[in-house]
Amino acid sequence: MGVAKYIKNEKDAIKEVIYQSGITVKPAYGPEDLERAGFSYEKDLGAPGEYPFTRSIHPQSYRSRAWTTRQYTGFGTPEETNERFRLMIANGQNGLNVAFDLPTQMGYDSDHPLAEGEVGRVGMAIDSLRDFEAAFKGIPLDRIGSGLTINAVATIMMAMYQAVAEKFGYSKNQISTTPQNDILKEMIGRGAWIFPVEHGVRLVGDSIEYAVKELPKSNPVSICGYHIRESGATPAQEIAYAFEIAKAYIENVTQRGIKPEDFVGRFSFNLNVYGNLWEQIAKFRAARKLWAKMLKEEYGVKDNKNLFLRGLFGGGGSGLTKEQPENNIMRGAYYALGAALSGAQTTALCSFDEAYTIPTPRSALLSLRTLEILMDEVGLRDTVDPLAGSYFVETLTLEMEKKILEEMKEVEKWGGMVKSISNGFVQRKVSRQAYEFEKGLQSGEYRKVGVVPVSEKGTDKDPGTEAAAVELHEYNEAWAEKSKANLKELRRTRNDKDVAETLKGLEKAAKTSENVMPHLVKCCHAYATVGEMAGVFRQVFGEWKEPDFY
Amino acid sequence: METKQKIRILIAKPGLDGHDKGAKVVALALRDAGMEVIYSGLHQTLDQIIQSATQESVDVIGLSIMSGAHLPICQKLMAMMREKGLVHAKLTVGGVIPHQDIPKLKEIGVAAVFPGGTSFEDIINGINNLFE
Amino acid sequence: MLDIKDILAGNQNAGARMIRLVEDRDPLAHTLLKALYPHAGHAFIIGITGSPGVGKSSLIDGLITEFRRLDKRVAVIACDPSSPVSGGAILGDRLRMQRHAADENVFIRSMASRGQKGGLSRAAKDAALVLDAMGYPIIIIETAGAGQTEVDVADMAHSVGIVTIPGAGDGIQAIKAGILETGDVFIVNKSDRPDSEAAVFELNMMLGLRPPSKDGWKPVVLQTQALDGTGVKELARVFLSHFDFLRQEGRLEKKQIKIESRYFQSLVRDLALEKIMAGLETSKGFQEALKKIRLREIDPVTAAESVMDNIRVLNNDTKYHC
């Protein structure tokens, strides 16, 4: 996906170019295009760092500070993860990004039947505060912030993070946590959801409200267009759906009497970067402008700092191929170029082998070098938003803006994101698109280098290269054994009365509109397990029943 | 209209992994190839899969596994199929499957393996060929 | 080999395979169905119909939970249309009910229409017979109503529930083609929508105009919100009370007789048509008439008349063609 549709004649001349978002591209652009579009520098762009921030949220951008890059950690046991954390901090990293295993993400303890074969596999296994104590031992939580890739049970993990900080003598005012905490995107494109839509949103609202009141240095939500795009959405839809998701959360929190001004500044975005270069750049620029406009005009947000669209523009696993894997090195470089030209605050590149294996240290290093070369040699730090003023890029940005608004309007016609997801409208659209694109790729309607259409297989057009061999995440049975043993020990030594009492308090809050966070913190301190806390929610909220997708 | 022998297939997502794009896309392709597709949804236990497959009298159980746990899952499921008398259904698996695991899967009794990237045509033919 | 004893004992594997034979029009199905027939007739059959997207599957999911709470075993036949282009189908109603997939006391069977006109195929009716013989006390048949289907459901269900949503103009639509007359319970789902009350009012008004039903049942209008379960307990109660109502004063027998004689008639019609067309379409007179139409030598009405005037009884074997 992400590739434009090219209609060529028999001489390979391109007759038509249609971007995935639905925009047609002309052979050449000139000043008349800007005039026709009613382009105005003040209205449509603004200076870098000035409303509507199309060019950049900072006046100097990379001139003052190069972009940052992230590296995820966490697998196996909390102890092993702690070692890795310490190593990274010693190497100069000033923020941690934590991955959790699937049972933890899904609110199950390591000894739950469904956890079999998954404990510690794709991230750290966390069953209780004791595991957090092991994972964050010796980490200066007042100086190091932690991004937590957790969604359905983000409230539990945030509470546990506060609890472990308090255990180590820090105050909640000092710590910085950034849970991903975007349940709606899970329901569209990542699948790690538990509770029905409204309850999922309620929990996000609780965490935002709590962060506003009690966790001043934390950023409670990272809205992910990324996964929605991986599932089949177009670039315009990626932004549109991300914004509609943001609206759903904003609405939930404002209903509690909290002004958007007080919390939207802490939202960040996780957006995808693969595919046609120009389409991505236009998308990010249009997104910055639309986000600022939306917050200002619809939600009355005044302070400029709260209007920034802060984003990680990166990844793009869907763009990579298993065939001719070295091509992915080049793809990565071009995606990084796109992110740099778009003014990303942070980026994370897929490693070239990520389509079929866990990144090796070598491939991870290549990604790092890709970014360094861009910044140090190729000149991406030289000036802010270098493409501004281009007849093509500015026209395209305006057209992308229109497309995004169109897609948003459709969601609003469906009744907003919560209703759209409950009824399956978004999922249906995205699945169909993924199917159509895949068909197109297999038939040759869309072309990706190295991918041979079915009709050409075995002919002289087929280079005959074998796809790279797939290698999997290791699974170490010992992790499960250790976690289960720890759980047994925990249950033996903790105070059952405290656990029961705090869980009861949690249940009461869940059943009413009382914020669950303070109760979760109490539960964590009493060493209630993730499974027990999520179990209370399962009991009160029930589990979501997916709608159809076709 | 004729009601010739249709292939009924259950596309199932066992375990906790939530990546369902592949399963959904294949389901659509199989429908367009004339098959009757029942999709199980995410987070299925093996009990749910077996009972669904039984009640729907499917010809094929098509597992979609992205987590790497295909060997233990297929082993367990084959045993359950035998236990519950589901001898008429064939088990296939698709997703993230290393090539070296394909012979092992066949040994367990899996009828066909479709690693990620297999074309729709090959999947459709692969399933049809199970019933020649 | 399929043993009828297994089906009667409620063996899911045997029952499902039997339904498969029925669905595939296997000649064996015929014989087995006849043998099962005397063992059926105990189930309460609920038909749930309505346009796509109104929430039928979610409602049924809630009904299953409710009936299970009352310790009753439940079977569901969920029908979806086959693609007219490919002949395939994605049978997705199960998705909304899948939390019951490990409950041994719930049997869910998805069926594709396979091009049968009127949506609800003979196969679904025969499947209900199998489930009845297996001993399920409650059988719910779900169809994606598309005009005629609602009437179809009345031919095989004891209690017909018609589901609509507010604001879709369904209130008016329900009057079409005898649908209003066939419904016993009218369900306005997604009742959180603002025009829900208006939809209920409209339905009640329309129902007030309909002639009273022969057996004395007064249609009920309910509001539900299937996604959070609002009104579903009520709905289950209404269906069960309808069943109680039918069991009094021989109403159920009368209904059953009507259903069966109608089924007999439609079966004969279908079989007769099949039998006649099997030979007719390939016969000389038919083909010649068709050729003449293509050459524009004759109009369709005259051509049909010529065929009918010359039709002769065939004496060939009866084969289930599918």
Side-chain angles (χ1 to χ4, degrees), chain A residues 106 116 118 121 190-191 230 322 435 438 442 454 470 472 546, chain B residues 18 21 28-29 32 39 41-43 67 76 96 98 116 120-121:
Chain A
M106 296 300 295
E116 204 178 321
E118 286 295 342
R121 187 201 285 267
R190 193 174 170 269
E230 293 285 299
K322 284 211 302 268
Y435 176 48
E438 191 55 41
Q442 293 183 20
V454 172
V470 167
L472 300 162
E546 295 176 68
Chain B
K21 179 173 95 166
L28 290 167
D32 287 350
Y39 176 60
L42 290 176
H43 317 145
S67 65
K76 280 209 191 76
V96 178
F120 294 150
E121 197 178 298

PDB file of all heavy atoms in Angstrom, chain A residues 106 116 118 121 190-191 230 322 435 438 442 454 470 472 546, chain B residues 18 21 28-29 32 39 41-43 67 76 96 98 116 120-121:
ATOM      1  N   MET A 106      -3.307  -7.593  27.261  1.00  0.00           N
ATOM      2  CA  MET A 106      -4.699  -8.029  27.239  1.00  0.00           C
ATOM      3  C   MET A 106      -5.266  -8.221  28.640  1.00  0.00           C
ATOM      4  O   MET A 106      -6.357  -8.760  28.797  1.00  0.00           O
ATOM      5  CB  MET A 106      -4.830  -9.339  26.446  1.00  0.00           C
ATOM      6  CG  MET A 106      -4.469  -9.194  24.981  1.00  0.00           C
ATOM      7  SD  MET A 106      -5.522  -7.983  24.130  1.00  0.00           S
ATOM      8  CE  MET A 106      -7.112  -8.796  24.238  1.00  0.00           C
ATOM      9  N   GLU A 116      -0.557 -18.779  27.520  1.00  0.00           N
ATOM     10  CA  GLU A 116       0.387 -19.818  27.137  1.00  0.00           C
ATOM     11  C   GLU A 116       1.107 -19.509  25.836  1.00  0.00           C
ATOM     12  O   GLU A 116       0.488 -19.136  24.846  1.00  0.00           O
ATOM     13  CB  GLU A 116      -0.349 -21.146  26.986  1.00  0.00           C
ATOM     14  CG  GLU A 116       0.584 -22.314  27.173  1.00  0.00           C
ATOM     15  CD  GLU A 116      -0.143 -23.630  27.074  1.00  0.00           C
ATOM     16  OE1 GLU A 116      -1.279 -23.706  27.594  1.00  0.00           O
ATOM     17  OE2 GLU A 116       0.423 -24.554  26.478  1.00  0.00           O
ATOM     18  N   GLU A 118       2.972 -17.047  25.270  1.00  0.00           N
ATOM     19  CA  GLU A 118       3.128 -15.618  25.007  1.00  0.00           C
ATOM     20  C   GLU A 118       3.846 -14.850  26.095  1.00  0.00           C
ATOM     21  O   GLU A 118       4.142 -13.675  25.922  1.00  0.00           O
ATOM     22  CB  GLU A 118       1.745 -14.987  24.821  1.00  0.00           C
ATOM     23  CG  GLU A 118       1.084 -15.332  23.497  1.00  0.00           C
ATOM     24  CD  GLU A 118       1.833 -14.773  22.300  1.00  0.00           C
ATOM     25  OE1 GLU A 118       2.658 -13.842  22.473  1.00  0.00           O
ATOM     26  OE2 GLU A 118       1.626 -15.266  21.178  1.00  0.00           O
ATOM     27  N   ARG A 121       7.155 -12.852  25.383  1.00  0.00           N
ATOM     28  CA  ARG A 121       7.597 -12.989  23.999  1.00  0.00           C
ATOM     29  C   ARG A 121       7.783 -11.660  23.284  1.00  0.00           C
ATOM     30  O   ARG A 121       8.840 -11.379  22.739  1.00  0.00           O
ATOM     31  CB  ARG A 121       6.632 -13.870  23.203  1.00  0.00           C
ATOM     32  CG  ARG A 121       7.125 -14.176  21.802  1.00  0.00           C
ATOM     33  CD  ARG A 121       5.981 -14.591  20.903  1.00  0.00           C
ATOM     34  NE  ARG A 121       5.506 -15.938  21.162  1.00  0.00           N
ATOM     35  CZ  ARG A 121       5.951 -17.015  20.515  1.00  0.00           C
ATOM     36  NH1 ARG A 121       6.885 -16.905  19.620  1.00  0.00           N
ATOM     37  NH2 ARG A 121       5.445 -18.190  20.792  1.00  0.00           N
ATOM     38  N   ARG A 190      -5.194  -2.700  15.493  1.00  0.00           N
ATOM     39  CA  ARG A 190      -4.099  -3.419  16.157  1.00  0.00           C
ATOM     40  C   ARG A 190      -4.599  -4.597  16.983  1.00  0.00           C
ATOM     41  O   ARG A 190      -3.828  -5.486  17.303  1.00  0.00           O
ATOM     42  CB  ARG A 190      -3.295  -2.420  17.009  1.00  0.00           C
ATOM     43  CG  ARG A 190      -1.971  -2.956  17.497  1.00  0.00           C
ATOM     44  CD  ARG A 190      -1.170  -1.879  18.206  1.00  0.00           C
ATOM     45  NE  ARG A 190      -0.030  -2.463  18.873  1.00  0.00           N
ATOM     46  CZ  ARG A 190      -0.030  -2.893  20.138  1.00  0.00           C
ATOM     47  NH1 ARG A 190      -1.121  -2.778  20.862  1.00  0.00           N
ATOM     48  NH2 ARG A 190       1.051  -3.426  20.671  1.00  0.00           N
ATOM     49  N   GLY A 191      -5.868  -4.547  17.337  1.00  0.00           N
ATOM     50  CA  GLY A 191      -6.492  -5.731  17.933  1.00  0.00           C
ATOM     51  C   GLY A 191      -6.270  -5.976  19.412  1.00  0.00           C
ATOM     52  O   GLY A 191      -6.774  -6.956  19.940  1.00  0.00           O
ATOM     53  N   GLU A 230      -1.534   1.051   8.626  1.00  0.00           N
ATOM     54  CA  GLU A 230      -1.026  -0.307   8.378  1.00  0.00           C
ATOM     55  C   GLU A 230      -2.171  -1.254   8.011  1.00  0.00           C
ATOM     56  O   GLU A 230      -1.983  -2.232   7.310  1.00  0.00           O
ATOM     57  CB  GLU A 230      -0.297  -0.861   9.608  1.00  0.00           C
ATOM     58  CG  GLU A 230       1.006  -0.158   9.955  1.00  0.00           C
ATOM     59  CD  GLU A 230       2.153  -0.525   9.017  1.00  0.00           C
ATOM     60  OE1 GLU A 230       2.508  -1.713   8.958  1.00  0.00           O
ATOM     61  OE2 GLU A 230       2.674   0.381   8.347  1.00  0.00           O
ATOM     62  N   LYS A 322       9.349  -8.618   1.704  1.00  0.00           N
ATOM     63  CA  LYS A 322      10.202  -9.753   2.030  1.00  0.00           C
ATOM     64  C   LYS A 322      11.112 -10.065   0.845  1.00  0.00           C
ATOM     65  O   LYS A 322      12.197 -10.606   1.013  1.00  0.00           O
ATOM     66  CB  LYS A 322       9.355 -10.995   2.341  1.00  0.00           C
ATOM     67  CG  LYS A 322       8.725 -10.937   3.701  1.00  0.00           C
ATOM     68  CD  LYS A 322       8.529 -12.299   4.347  1.00  0.00           C
ATOM     69  CE  LYS A 322       7.704 -13.297   3.586  1.00  0.00           C
ATOM     70  NZ  LYS A 322       6.278 -13.236   3.954  1.00  0.00           N
ATOM     71  N   TYR A 435      -7.824  -5.091   0.893  1.00  0.00           N
ATOM     72  CA  TYR A 435      -8.075  -6.181  -0.050  1.00  0.00           C
ATOM     73  C   TYR A 435      -7.871  -5.716  -1.484  1.00  0.00           C
ATOM     74  O   TYR A 435      -7.182  -6.359  -2.276  1.00  0.00           O
ATOM     75  CB  TYR A 435      -9.494  -6.700   0.161  1.00  0.00           C
ATOM     76  CG  TYR A 435      -9.931  -7.778  -0.800  1.00  0.00           C
ATOM     77  CD1 TYR A 435      -9.123  -8.879  -1.066  1.00  0.00           C
ATOM     78  CD2 TYR A 435     -11.163  -7.710  -1.438  1.00  0.00           C
ATOM     79  CE1 TYR A 435      -9.525  -9.867  -1.947  1.00  0.00           C
ATOM     80  CE2 TYR A 435     -11.578  -8.703  -2.302  1.00  0.00           C
ATOM     81  CZ  TYR A 435     -10.751  -9.780  -2.552  1.00  0.00           C
ATOM     82  OH  TYR A 435     -11.163 -10.756  -3.414  1.00  0.00           O
ATOM     83  N   GLU A 438      -4.205  -5.208  -2.211  1.00  0.00           N
ATOM     84  CA  GLU A 438      -3.487  -6.482  -2.310  1.00  0.00           C
ATOM     85  C   GLU A 438      -3.792  -7.140  -3.652  1.00  0.00           C
ATOM     86  O   GLU A 438      -2.917  -7.682  -4.319  1.00  0.00           O
ATOM     87  CB  GLU A 438      -3.911  -7.379  -1.146  1.00  0.00           C
ATOM     88  CG  GLU A 438      -3.079  -8.609  -0.947  1.00  0.00           C
ATOM     89  CD  GLU A 438      -1.599  -8.319  -0.794  1.00  0.00           C
ATOM     90  OE1 GLU A 438      -1.257  -7.334  -0.098  1.00  0.00           O
ATOM     91  OE2 GLU A 438      -0.801  -9.052  -1.401  1.00  0.00           O
ATOM     92  N   GLN A 442      -1.068  -7.978  -6.605  1.00  0.00           N
ATOM     93  CA  GLN A 442      -0.887  -9.305  -7.184  1.00  0.00           C
ATOM     94  C   GLN A 442      -1.180  -9.323  -8.670  1.00  0.00           C
ATOM     95  O   GLN A 442      -0.665 -10.162  -9.406  1.00  0.00           O
ATOM     96  CB  GLN A 442      -1.771 -10.324  -6.448  1.00  0.00           C
ATOM     97  CG  GLN A 442      -1.306 -10.534  -5.015  1.00  0.00           C
ATOM     98  CD  GLN A 442      -2.096 -11.594  -4.271  1.00  0.00           C
ATOM     99  OE1 GLN A 442      -2.739 -12.432  -4.880  1.00  0.00           O
ATOM    100  NE2 GLN A 442      -2.033 -11.559  -2.953  1.00  0.00           N
ATOM    101  N   VAL A 454       1.354 -11.974 -10.168  1.00  0.00           N
ATOM    102  CA  VAL A 454       1.087 -13.389 -10.400  1.00  0.00           C
ATOM    103  C   VAL A 454       1.264 -13.761 -11.869  1.00  0.00           C
ATOM    104  O   VAL A 454       1.824 -14.799 -12.200  1.00  0.00           O
ATOM    105  CB  VAL A 454      -0.335 -13.731  -9.912  1.00  0.00           C
ATOM    106  CG1 VAL A 454      -0.710 -15.136 -10.303  1.00  0.00           C
ATOM    107  CG2 VAL A 454      -0.406 -13.579  -8.412  1.00  0.00           C
ATOM    108  N   VAL A 470      12.015 -16.287   6.985  1.00  0.00           N
ATOM    109  CA  VAL A 470      11.369 -15.692   8.161  1.00  0.00           C
ATOM    110  C   VAL A 470      11.988 -16.231   9.436  1.00  0.00           C
ATOM    111  O   VAL A 470      12.189 -17.427   9.575  1.00  0.00           O
ATOM    112  CB  VAL A 470       9.859 -16.027   8.139  1.00  0.00           C
ATOM    113  CG1 VAL A 470       9.227 -15.713   9.473  1.00  0.00           C
ATOM    114  CG2 VAL A 470       9.174 -15.258   7.040  1.00  0.00           C
ATOM    115  N   LEU A 472      11.707 -15.867  13.753  1.00  0.00           N
ATOM    116  CA  LEU A 472      10.738 -15.406  14.728  1.00  0.00           C
ATOM    117  C   LEU A 472      11.354 -14.958  16.036  1.00  0.00           C
ATOM    118  O   LEU A 472      12.499 -15.272  16.339  1.00  0.00           O
ATOM    119  CB  LEU A 472       9.767 -16.545  15.032  1.00  0.00           C
ATOM    120  CG  LEU A 472       9.015 -17.015  13.818  1.00  0.00           C
ATOM    121  CD1 LEU A 472       8.429 -18.366  14.073  1.00  0.00           C
ATOM    122  CD2 LEU A 472       7.947 -16.011  13.467  1.00  0.00           C
ATOM    123  N   GLU A 546     -16.764  -7.747  18.317  1.00  0.00           N
ATOM    124  CA  GLU A 546     -16.431  -7.112  17.047  1.00  0.00           C
ATOM    125  C   GLU A 546     -17.602  -7.098  16.079  1.00  0.00           C
ATOM    126  O   GLU A 546     -18.308  -8.088  15.970  1.00  0.00           O
ATOM    127  CB  GLU A 546     -15.342  -7.913  16.323  1.00  0.00           C
ATOM    128  CG  GLU A 546     -14.020  -7.983  16.956  1.00  0.00           C
ATOM    129  CD  GLU A 546     -13.134  -8.889  16.132  1.00  0.00           C
ATOM    130  OE1 GLU A 546     -12.783  -8.509  15.000  1.00  0.00           O
ATOM    131  OE2 GLU A 546     -12.823  -9.989  16.617  1.00  0.00           O
TER     132      GLU A 546
ATOM    133  N   GLY B  18      -3.440  -9.613  17.829  1.00  0.00           N
ATOM    134  CA  GLY B  18      -4.537  -8.845  17.260  1.00  0.00           C
ATOM    135  C   GLY B  18      -4.392  -8.447  15.800  1.00  0.00           C
ATOM    136  O   GLY B  18      -5.193  -7.686  15.269  1.00  0.00           O
ATOM    137  N   LYS B  21      -5.413  -8.125   9.681  1.00  0.00           N
ATOM    138  CA  LYS B  21      -5.542  -7.647   8.300  1.00  0.00           C
ATOM    139  C   LYS B  21      -5.420  -8.808   7.322  1.00  0.00           C
ATOM    140  O   LYS B  21      -6.221  -8.949   6.397  1.00  0.00           O
ATOM    141  CB  LYS B  21      -4.473  -6.596   7.993  1.00  0.00           C
ATOM    142  CG  LYS B  21      -4.566  -6.094   6.553  1.00  0.00           C
ATOM    143  CD  LYS B  21      -3.630  -4.923   6.292  1.00  0.00           C
ATOM    144  CE  LYS B  21      -2.309  -5.357   5.704  1.00  0.00           C
ATOM    145  NZ  LYS B  21      -1.534  -4.233   5.160  1.00  0.00           N
ATOM    146  N   LEU B  28     -11.970 -12.167   2.265  1.00  0.00           N
ATOM    147  CA  LEU B  28     -12.611 -11.516   1.131  1.00  0.00           C
ATOM    148  C   LEU B  28     -12.233 -12.209  -0.177  1.00  0.00           C
ATOM    149  O   LEU B  28     -13.071 -12.410  -1.055  1.00  0.00           O
ATOM    150  CB  LEU B  28     -12.225 -10.031   1.088  1.00  0.00           C
ATOM    151  CG  LEU B  28     -12.822  -9.169   2.208  1.00  0.00           C
ATOM    152  CD1 LEU B  28     -12.154  -7.804   2.270  1.00  0.00           C
ATOM    153  CD2 LEU B  28     -14.320  -9.005   2.010  1.00  0.00           C
ATOM    154  N   ALA B  29     -10.969 -12.586  -0.289  1.00  0.00           N
ATOM    155  CA  ALA B  29     -10.526 -13.244  -1.518  1.00  0.00           C
ATOM    156  C   ALA B  29     -11.217 -14.601  -1.692  1.00  0.00           C
ATOM    157  O   ALA B  29     -11.608 -14.979  -2.805  1.00  0.00           O
ATOM    158  CB  ALA B  29      -9.013 -13.422  -1.505  1.00  0.00           C
ATOM    159  N   ASP B  32     -14.687 -14.169  -2.872  1.00  0.00           N
ATOM    160  CA  ASP B  32     -14.719 -13.858  -4.289  1.00  0.00           C
ATOM    161  C   ASP B  32     -14.363 -15.058  -5.148  1.00  0.00           C
ATOM    162  O   ASP B  32     -14.571 -15.048  -6.357  1.00  0.00           O
ATOM    163  CB  ASP B  32     -13.787 -12.680  -4.605  1.00  0.00           C
ATOM    164  CG  ASP B  32     -14.359 -11.354  -4.102  1.00  0.00           C
ATOM    165  OD1 ASP B  32     -15.537 -11.352  -3.693  1.00  0.00           O
ATOM    166  OD2 ASP B  32     -13.627 -10.358  -4.111  1.00  0.00           O
ATOM    167  N   TYR B  39     -15.853 -16.140   9.711  1.00  0.00           N
ATOM    168  CA  TYR B  39     -14.706 -15.533  10.383  1.00  0.00           C
ATOM    169  C   TYR B  39     -14.942 -15.560  11.888  1.00  0.00           C
ATOM    170  O   TYR B  39     -15.990 -15.164  12.362  1.00  0.00           O
ATOM    171  CB  TYR B  39     -14.512 -14.100   9.874  1.00  0.00           C
ATOM    172  CG  TYR B  39     -13.411 -13.342  10.577  1.00  0.00           C
ATOM    173  CD1 TYR B  39     -12.089 -13.809  10.544  1.00  0.00           C
ATOM    174  CD2 TYR B  39     -13.671 -12.167  11.273  1.00  0.00           C
ATOM    175  CE1 TYR B  39     -11.081 -13.116  11.193  1.00  0.00           C
ATOM    176  CE2 TYR B  39     -12.667 -11.472  11.917  1.00  0.00           C
ATOM    177  CZ  TYR B  39     -11.360 -11.957  11.880  1.00  0.00           C
ATOM    178  OH  TYR B  39     -10.364 -11.275  12.531  1.00  0.00           O
ATOM    179  N   GLY B  41     -13.301 -13.985  14.357  1.00  0.00           N
ATOM    180  CA  GLY B  41     -12.971 -12.847  15.208  1.00  0.00           C
ATOM    181  C   GLY B  41     -11.688 -13.121  15.995  1.00  0.00           C
ATOM    182  O   GLY B  41     -11.144 -14.228  15.961  1.00  0.00           O
ATOM    183  N   LEU B  42     -11.244 -12.113  16.724  1.00  0.00           N
ATOM    184  CA  LEU B  42      -9.966 -12.205  17.441  1.00  0.00           C
ATOM    185  C   LEU B  42     -10.080 -12.952  18.765  1.00  0.00           C
ATOM    186  O   LEU B  42     -11.170 -13.203  19.266  1.00  0.00           O
ATOM    187  CB  LEU B  42      -9.436 -10.794  17.731  1.00  0.00           C
ATOM    188  CG  LEU B  42      -8.950  -9.955  16.559  1.00  0.00           C
ATOM    189  CD1 LEU B  42      -8.575  -8.577  17.061  1.00  0.00           C
ATOM    190  CD2 LEU B  42      -7.766 -10.613  15.900  1.00  0.00           C
ATOM    191  N   HIS B  43      -8.919 -13.272  19.307  1.00  0.00           N
ATOM    192  CA  HIS B  43      -8.791 -13.767  20.685  1.00  0.00           C
ATOM    193  C   HIS B  43      -9.554 -15.064  20.936  1.00  0.00           C
ATOM    194  O   HIS B  43     -10.216 -15.207  21.957  1.00  0.00           O
ATOM    195  CB  HIS B  43      -9.243 -12.709  21.706  1.00  0.00           C
ATOM    196  CG  HIS B  43      -8.763 -11.316  21.425  1.00  0.00           C
ATOM    197  ND1 HIS B  43      -9.507 -10.189  21.702  1.00  0.00           N
ATOM    198  CD2 HIS B  43      -7.629 -10.850  20.876  1.00  0.00           C
ATOM    199  CE1 HIS B  43      -8.830  -9.108  21.354  1.00  0.00           C
ATOM    200  NE2 HIS B  43      -7.678  -9.468  20.852  1.00  0.00           N
ATOM    201  N   SER B  67       1.898 -14.903  15.595  1.00  0.00           N
ATOM    202  CA  SER B  67       2.679 -14.803  16.827  1.00  0.00           C
ATOM    203  C   SER B  67       3.851 -15.754  16.878  1.00  0.00           C
ATOM    204  O   SER B  67       4.669 -15.698  17.771  1.00  0.00           O
ATOM    205  CB  SER B  67       1.776 -15.117  18.018  1.00  0.00           C
ATOM    206  OG  SER B  67       1.365 -16.478  17.918  1.00  0.00           O
ATOM    207  N   LYS B  76      -2.029 -29.018  19.118  1.00  0.00           N
ATOM    208  CA  LYS B  76      -3.169 -29.132  20.027  1.00  0.00           C
ATOM    209  C   LYS B  76      -4.473 -29.247  19.249  1.00  0.00           C
ATOM    210  O   LYS B  76      -5.336 -30.066  19.581  1.00  0.00           O
ATOM    211  CB  LYS B  76      -3.259 -27.885  20.925  1.00  0.00           C
ATOM    212  CG  LYS B  76      -2.314 -27.905  22.081  1.00  0.00           C
ATOM    213  CD  LYS B  76      -2.890 -27.110  23.259  1.00  0.00           C
ATOM    214  CE  LYS B  76      -1.817 -26.912  24.312  1.00  0.00           C
ATOM    215  NZ  LYS B  76      -0.841 -25.847  23.892  1.00  0.00           N
ATOM    216  N   VAL B  96       2.716 -15.787   9.817  1.00  0.00           N
ATOM    217  CA  VAL B  96       4.170 -15.667   9.898  1.00  0.00           C
ATOM    218  C   VAL B  96       4.745 -17.051  10.181  1.00  0.00           C
ATOM    219  O   VAL B  96       4.841 -17.493  11.314  1.00  0.00           O
ATOM    220  CB  VAL B  96       4.562 -14.677  11.014  1.00  0.00           C
ATOM    221  CG1 VAL B  96       6.075 -14.581  11.128  1.00  0.00           C
ATOM    222  CG2 VAL B  96       3.985 -13.307  10.714  1.00  0.00           C
ATOM    223  N   PRO B  98       7.937 -19.617   9.248  1.00  0.00           N
ATOM    224  CA  PRO B  98       9.224 -19.854   8.596  1.00  0.00           C
ATOM    225  C   PRO B  98       9.158 -21.110   7.732  1.00  0.00           C
ATOM    226  O   PRO B  98       8.477 -22.070   8.086  1.00  0.00           O
ATOM    227  CB  PRO B  98      10.191 -20.086   9.754  1.00  0.00           C
ATOM    228  CG  PRO B  98       9.467 -19.697  10.977  1.00  0.00           C
ATOM    229  CD  PRO B  98       8.001 -19.793  10.684  1.00  0.00           C
ATOM    230  N   GLY B 116       2.831 -15.840   4.918  1.00  0.00           N
ATOM    231  CA  GLY B 116       2.496 -14.500   4.474  1.00  0.00           C
ATOM    232  C   GLY B 116       3.151 -14.185   3.143  1.00  0.00           C
ATOM    233  O   GLY B 116       4.314 -14.505   2.938  1.00  0.00           O
ATOM    234  N   PHE B 120      -3.216 -14.779  -3.597  1.00  0.00           N
ATOM    235  CA  PHE B 120      -4.592 -15.264  -3.453  1.00  0.00           C
ATOM    236  C   PHE B 120      -4.805 -16.495  -4.318  1.00  0.00           C
ATOM    237  O   PHE B 120      -5.433 -17.465  -3.898  1.00  0.00           O
ATOM    238  CB  PHE B 120      -5.592 -14.186  -3.877  1.00  0.00           C
ATOM    239  CG  PHE B 120      -5.600 -12.986  -2.987  1.00  0.00           C
ATOM    240  CD1 PHE B 120      -5.919 -11.741  -3.486  1.00  0.00           C
ATOM    241  CD2 PHE B 120      -5.295 -13.088  -1.639  1.00  0.00           C
ATOM    242  CE1 PHE B 120      -5.942 -10.620  -2.658  1.00  0.00           C
ATOM    243  CE2 PHE B 120      -5.298 -11.968  -0.812  1.00  0.00           C
ATOM    244  CZ  PHE B 120      -5.633 -10.734  -1.335  1.00  0.00           C
ATOM    245  N   GLU B 121      -4.265 -16.423  -5.531  1.00  0.00           N
ATOM    246  CA  GLU B 121      -4.431 -17.537  -6.459  1.00  0.00           C
ATOM    247  C   GLU B 121      -3.894 -18.828  -5.858  1.00  0.00           C
ATOM    248  O   GLU B 121      -4.550 -19.870  -5.905  1.00  0.00           O
ATOM    249  CB  GLU B 121      -3.678 -17.205  -7.743  1.00  0.00           C
ATOM    250  CG  GLU B 121      -4.079 -18.042  -8.935  1.00  0.00           C
ATOM    251  CD  GLU B 121      -3.326 -17.614 -10.173  1.00  0.00           C
ATOM    252  OE1 GLU B 121      -3.514 -16.449 -10.568  1.00  0.00           O
ATOM    253  OE2 GLU B 121      -2.557 -18.426 -10.716  1.00  0.00           O
TER     254      GLU B 121
END
